[in-house]
Amino acid sequence: MTRRLWKVGTNSGNDGCPTIYEVPGTDQFVVQGDRVTDPGELGQLEHLADEEGAVTVPRELLATFAPKEAVHVPQIISAEEFGRMFTTLKHSAWRLETRRRYAWDEQQPEYRQFLAEGRVDWDLEDPWCRGRREQAAAGKRFERVRILDEPPTVGQRYLLDNAARNSAVGEDIRVLARGRAWELGLPREDFWIFDSRVVALLHFDDADEMGDIELITDPVQVLRYAQAREAAWHFAVPFDQV
């Protein structure tokens, strides 16, 4: 089975070489560079098997993008700390929503109205809406891409209705078909990027309840999510064009 590679980084502009890739879910990396073909140089490599090859890459690439720690220790933050990030951000917050349902949504009275009527009377003056509107008025950007199944699930249709509310208070929301998202190699987990420098990775359990919130500040990892953001935002369409 073909493995999906996740680009870690390159120092060659848009040319694509040399580059380091990670094999998600493993501790393996793929390094792309100029092949070593000189027999004398290859002869100096110890135990080079017939199916193996060698490439050359600059020291800068390894120093910048090679993994620095053998074991990743997640940095978990509280819900209160996560909430404060939406008021202390400097310029932008961006989210990718990947799930087919969110248990929290289904506990809300608005969700019950949506099931009964196919629509919701949103309160644009509740504390959340007022806070988001104030932040947007201060020049801060709030953007989301929501991945939709074909056809959308009930929960996703509810969020499409919800998008009108979010849009009314200053968010820019786009949607992307799940098949297209996987073709682009987008992450399969929900996350927020704040000010293009820190990621809040949202962990969900099998019952679709949100649990731990993991803070990611390693520039190499943040870059991966920023690259996913750029691809998702480019191919997604405004929610009201679905």
Side-chain angles (χ1 to χ4, degrees):
M1 182 178 67
T2 300
R3 300 180 299 181
R4 184 178 296 279
L5 306 181
W6 198 346
K7 184 177 179 180
V8 173
T10 179
N11 59 354
S12 62
N14 290 325
D15 295 336
C17 179
T19 305
I20 293 179
Y21 300 85
E22 181 181 0
V23 183
T26 75
D27 59 355
Q28 297 180 326
F29 291 79
V30 174
V31 179
Q32 175 185 353
D34 293 327
R35 282 194 297 267
V36 178
T37 58
D38 183 271
E41 294 179 0
L42 291 173
Q44 298 176 55
L45 303 180
E46 297 183 0
H47 311 298
L48 185 68
D50 291 339
E51 68 272 17
E52 294 178 335
V55 299
T56 59
V57 296
R59 179 188 298 271
E60 179 185 359
L61 181 72
L62 298 178
T64 304
F65 296 109
K68 304 300 189 299
E69 297 181 0
V71 178
H72 171 62
V73 180
Q75 180 182 352
I76 305 301
I77 62 174
S78 68
E80 291 74 18
E81 291 173 305
F82 177 56
R84 285 196 294 271
M85 295 178 72
F86 290 93
T87 58
T88 59
L89 78 163
K90 301 299 183 182
H91 56 76
S92 65
W94 189 95
R95 179 172 179 177
L96 181 67
E97 294 184 343
T98 67
R99 304 187 66 81
R100 293 177 169 87
R101 66 182 288 265
Y102 294 88
W104 170 257
D105 289 344
E106 298 174 7
Q107 299 167 18
Q108 308 310 309
E110 292 84 0
Y111 191 86
R112 292 191 291 273
Q113 181 188 3
F114 180 79
L115 292 181
E117 304 176 21
R119 54 176 295 279
V120 177
D121 296 313
W122 298 104
D123 178 8
L124 298 183
E125 296 302 325
D126 68 14
W128 185 92
C129 287
R130 289 199 304 271
R132 186 67 89 243
R133 191 160 48 236
E134 291 170 1
Q135 293 287 314
K140 300 176 184 180
R141 284 195 333 274
F142 295 89
E143 301 167 334
R144 304 183 194 224
V145 168
R146 288 174 168 158
I147 293 177
L148 297 181
D149 288 278
E150 299 175 292
T153 66
V154 174
Q156 291 166 351
R157 288 192 286 110
Y158 168 77
L159 288 177
L160 284 174
D161 193 279
N162 171 267
R165 177 200 63 157
N166 288 23
S167 179
V169 297
E171 287 199 3
D172 189 350
I173 301 181
R174 302 183 185 183
V175 296
L176 184 66
R178 188 174 299 278
R180 186 61 171 134
W182 296 165
E183 289 176 1
L184 295 170
L186 297 185
R188 304 199 177 194
E189 63 267 12
D190 283 33
F191 64 90
W192 281 94
I193 301 180
F194 294 91
D195 294 334
S196 298
R197 67 173 186 81
V198 61
V199 172
L201 184 61
L202 310 181
H203 293 276
F204 289 82
D205 61 21
D206 292 339
D208 299 305
E209 295 276 7
M210 193 175 81
D212 288 340
I213 303 167
E214 180 181 352
L215 199 65
I216 298 175
T217 57
D218 177 6
V220 173
Q221 295 190 58
V222 172
L223 175 62
R224 297 175 188 167
Y225 288 101
Q227 290 170 336
R229 175 190 61 192
E230 292 301 305
W233 197 248
H234 177 76
F235 288 99
V237 300
F239 75 93
D240 55 2
Q241 293 184 13
V242 176

